[in-house]
Amino acid sequence: MTATTYQVQGMTCGHCVSSVKAAVGALPGVIGVEVNLQAGSMTTTGTATTQAVSQAVADAGYAIVSADQTVGVSLPMASGTGGCCCS
């Protein structure tokens, strides 16, 4: 299993966090998604590619700035749902 931490640009509120979590959490291969609004970061656990995650984030209206991957993660994180009301 792989955990990847991304820097996400454009999130400004809790609804943004929910929107990103829902978009990425719906991807095949994603087991968990954690988003930190203050840090502007998101960590995914699973097998989804960085390209797929980046596209899902872009489709939700945000942008991936960077990614840092860690292979061999054994604990999945929880994912959430929601939608964004701001742009």
Side-chain angles (χ1 to χ4, degrees):
M1 181 124 9
T2 302
T4 305
T5 300
Y6 301 89
Q7 289 300 305
V8 181
Q9 186 175 32
M11 296 186 301
T12 59
C13 67
H15 292 286
C16 296
V17 168
S18 294
S19 182
V20 168
K21 279 181 152 182
V24 174
L27 290 173
V30 172
I31 294 171
V33 180
E34 289 294 325
V35 180
N36 183 320
L37 178 61
Q38 290 179 334
S41 66
M42 170 184 66
T43 300
T44 63
T45 305
T47 59
T49 66
T50 298
Q51 182 179 2
V53 172
S54 294
Q55 186 61 55
V57 170
D59 290 348
Y62 308 93
I64 296 292
V65 178
S66 66
D68 181 31
Q69 196 172 70
T70 305
V71 178
V73 175
S74 60
L75 297 175
M77 293 177 245
S79 62
T81 61
C84 190
C85 61
C86 55
S87 49

